[in-house]
């Protein structure tokens, strides 16, 4: 019988729900984990939302004040799924209160914020996991193996693309995501953070970069009430968008490989078009989140005659076997969070990190800061 692990969730919008469901699903997919999450409490500032979450998801209590979570002896681990401006304050406070931390990307507004949370986690000796979920996709792990095992030859260049239309509608609500004070950067923190993590996961450290950013939708409608995720606010008072909608970036990796990373949140006609193309001297691998369980792979030494084949990953790839019995039974986005939850809980049970850590958040945030600096100065920057 697994011991109970008291968990809390702070911020109950989109990600709060997904983290809660991931904890609840852990025993279904990982019955042998030595710890079993118990949903102790949920903190959310929108009136009534915490109580509703407790009712629907089975938390034992609900509060509007996250400080009560830090002081709660029943809580051993906390998910921080509140907006970016709260990551540092809440993350540091939870770690200092001895709570293990599963915190959403980008971990604060700047690399300094991410470093403050990482330092608090290290000082307190708790475990820390970050929401870079795309690297948990079994196909992404399989792509990394191809690269690391040299099956593509020497990697020469990569193209990473994160295009979304979630902010394309002119009536898209002016939420915290578009404000410097509460969101920090725009598409840099929101989407490019994942792209930078994928770049490093697949190809290693980034040595230098040059970036350009743009705002394409300069005004949005203020919402009249509480929002969650990417809401519309038709008819709302217009207000200014304070951070970038688009980033385009050239990358030089420490390995000598070159890269292009582009991210945009206002790409009409693109729904979660997140993916990469990695090219080497003897092959290439392509991944697209919208076909999350597939890879397109080309390898060998026949060059112009070399075919590109579709590989449906199966139980041999990453954590696939915990979800589906055979290849081409599709896994989905929320499953990536169950994998993240598993790695978080396993880190706590074994006292050693599995999966993403706060160090990954610091790396990603440092590269994002360098992109912002390059966009300002017009120069190449070394992160
Ligand atoms: N890994 C991934 O794929 C994804 C990660 N994210 C990350 O998750 C985080 C949350 O994003 P998302 O769920 O989309 O955001 P939402 O806006 O949907 O949810 C955030 C919730 O936190 C609430 N909140 C604000 N202040 C507090 C507070 N002091 N205490 C408790 N709750 C508070 C908000 O209330 P109010 O409306 O009043 O502000 C809102 O209900 C972000 O950091 C984002 O970058 C998001 C989506 C996907
Ligand atoms: O991390 C994220 C992944 O994609 C979302 C859009 O669908 C983003 O808004 C979010 O913050």
């Amino acid at each position: 019988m697994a011991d109970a692990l008291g968990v809390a969730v702070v911020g109950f919008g989109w990600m709060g729900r997904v983290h809660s469901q991931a904890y609840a699903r852990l025993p279904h997919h990982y019955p042998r984990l030595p710890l079993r999450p118990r949903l102790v409490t949920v903190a959310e500032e929108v009136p009534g939302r915490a109580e509703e979450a407790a009712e629907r998801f089975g938390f034992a209590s609900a509060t509007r004040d996250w400080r009560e979570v830090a002081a709660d002896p029943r809580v051993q681990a906390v998910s921080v799924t509140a907006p970016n401006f709260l990551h540092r304050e809440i993350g540091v406070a939870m770690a200092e209160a001895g709570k293990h931390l599963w915190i959403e990307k980008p971990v604060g507004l700047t690399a300094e914020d991410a470093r403050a949370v990482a330092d608090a986690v290290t000082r307190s000796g708790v475990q820390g996991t970050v929401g870079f979920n795309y690297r948990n996709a079994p196909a992404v792990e399989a792509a990394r193996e191809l690269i690391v095992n040299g099956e593509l030859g020497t990697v020469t260049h990569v193209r990473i693309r994160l295009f979304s239309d979630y902010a394309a509608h002119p009536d898209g609500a002016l939420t915290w995501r578009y404000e410097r004070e509460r969101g920090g950067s725009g598409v840099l923190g929101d989407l490019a953070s994942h792209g930078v993590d994928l770049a490093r996961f697949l190809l290693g450290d980034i040595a230098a970069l040059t970036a350009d950013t743009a705002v394409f939708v300069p005004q949005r409608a203020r919402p009249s009430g509480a929002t969650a995720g990417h809401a519309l606010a038709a008819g709302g008072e217009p207000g200014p968008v304070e951070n970038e909608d688009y980033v385009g970036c050239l990358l030089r990796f420490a390995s000598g490989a070159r890269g292009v990373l582009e991210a945009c949140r206002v790409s009409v006609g693109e729904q979660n078009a997140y993916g990469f193309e990695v090219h080497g001297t003897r092959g290439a691998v392509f991944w697209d989140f919208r076909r999350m369980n597939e890879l397109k792979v080309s390898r060998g030494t026949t060059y112009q005659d070399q075919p590109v084949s579709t590989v449906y990953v199966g139980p041999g790839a990453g954590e696939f076997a915990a979800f589906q019995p055979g290849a081409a039974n599709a896994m989905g986005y929320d499953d990536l969070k169950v994998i993240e939850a598993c790695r978080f809980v396993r880190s706590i049970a074994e006292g050693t990190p599995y999966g993403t850590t706060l160090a990954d958040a610091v790396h990603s945030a440092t590269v994002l800061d360098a992109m912002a600096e390059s966009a300002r100065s017009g120069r190449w920057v070394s992160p």
Side-chain angles (χ1 to χ4, degrees):
M1 180 76 177
D3 289 336
L5 176 77
V7 302
V9 172
V10 177
F12 206 86
W14 178 19
M15 278 304 107
R17 176 183 58 74
V18 174
H19 279 227
S20 306
Q21 286 169 330
Y23 286 127
R25 288 176 56 200
L26 264 191
H28 305 167
H29 297 280
Y30 296 98
R32 279 183 289 283
L33 261 187
L35 292 172
R36 188 178 183 139
R38 189 160 53 85
L39 299 178
V40 169
T41 192
V42 51
E44 162 63 53
E45 76 158 14
V46 174
R49 202 177 265 180
E51 289 73 14
E52 191 197 331
E55 170 70 22
R56 279 180 60 200
F57 293 86
F59 290 91
S61 58
T63 174
R64 281 186 72 184
D65 184 0
W66 61 264
R67 288 174 185 80
E68 287 179 13
V69 176
D72 191 331
R74 299 172 301 166
V75 175
Q76 293 150 286
V78 177
S79 278
V80 177
T81 49
N84 300 351
F85 74 103
L86 291 164
H87 291 178
R88 178 176 181 160
E89 187 185 9
I90 300 179
V92 168
M94 293 303 171
E96 286 179 345
K99 317 293 187 198
H100 302 286
L101 197 63
W102 179 12
I103 187 163
E104 267 309 327
K105 43 60 57 177
V107 187
L109 308 178
T110 59
E112 197 197 321
D113 282 358
R115 226 172 280 119
V117 180
D119 289 348
V121 162
T122 306
R123 263 196 326 272
S124 308
V126 295
Q127 297 297 325
T129 294
V130 180
F132 290 130
N133 29 259
Y134 298 110
R135 65 152 89 174
N136 300 330
V140 172
E141 296 199 56
R144 183 171 187 271
E145 267 184 38
L146 287 176
I147 295 165
V148 170
N149 294 340
E151 297 203 35
L152 308 182
T154 302
V155 172
T156 51
H157 59 288
V158 60
R159 178 180 286 269
I160 297 177
R161 194 170 174 269
L162 299 107
F163 283 177
S164 181
D165 64 353
Y166 71 76
H169 199 295
D171 289 339
L174 188 65
T175 65
W176 60 266
R177 275 188 166 81
Y178 307 91
E179 292 174 8
R180 284 269 164 216
E181 211 172 289
R182 294 196 296 161
S185 61
V187 78
L188 281 170
D190 209 46
L191 293 181
S193 55
H194 288 292
V196 171
D197 184 65
L198 284 175
R200 189 162 153 268
F201 185 64
L202 296 168
L203 268 74
D205 284 338
I206 292 165
L209 59 85
T210 184
D212 189 23
T213 57
V215 179
F216 295 130
V217 182
Q219 285 204 327
R220 297 185 173 277
R222 292 189 194 283
S224 55
T227 58
H230 307 297
L232 294 183
E237 181 81 4
V241 168
E242 296 173 349
N243 50 31
E244 73 293 333
D245 291 324
Y246 169 88
V247 60
C249 182
L250 293 180
L251 302 165
R252 281 187 201 146
F253 290 85
S255 66
R258 299 298 201 263
V260 176
L261 186 153
E262 239 189 323
C264 186
R265 62 188 179 188
V266 298
S267 301
V268 175
E270 300 272 16
Q271 287 95 27
N272 294 335
Y274 310 152
F276 55 76
E277 302 164 9
V278 179
H279 297 268
T281 49
R282 283 191 290 115
V285 61
F286 308 89
W287 179 75
D288 182 331
F289 169 64
R290 295 166 298 182
R291 306 182 71 86
M292 192 179 93
N293 306 291
E294 295 177 28
L295 287 177
K296 303 268 185 230
V297 182
S298 174
R299 60 192 143 161
T301 50
T302 54
Y303 304 102
Q304 285 96 328
D305 291 331
Q306 204 156 290
V308 177
S309 42
T310 300
V311 175
Y312 297 99
V313 296
E319 295 293 317
F320 193 92
F323 295 85
Q324 295 293 351
N329 291 300
M331 287 174 62
Y333 172 85
D334 286 8
D335 296 333
L336 304 182
K337 285 301 197 195
V338 177
I339 295 171
E340 209 162 84
C342 171
R343 290 176 175 162
F344 176 50
V345 170
R346 197 164 159 222
S347 305
I348 298 169
E350 298 184 19
T352 189
Y354 290 97
T356 56
T357 64
L358 266 302
D360 297 313
V362 172
H363 278 286
S364 172
T366 304
V367 172
L368 298 179
D369 281 5
M371 287 184 189
E373 185 189 332
S374 172
R376 265 192 307 271
S377 66
R379 294 179 196 281
W380 281 84
V381 175
S382 292

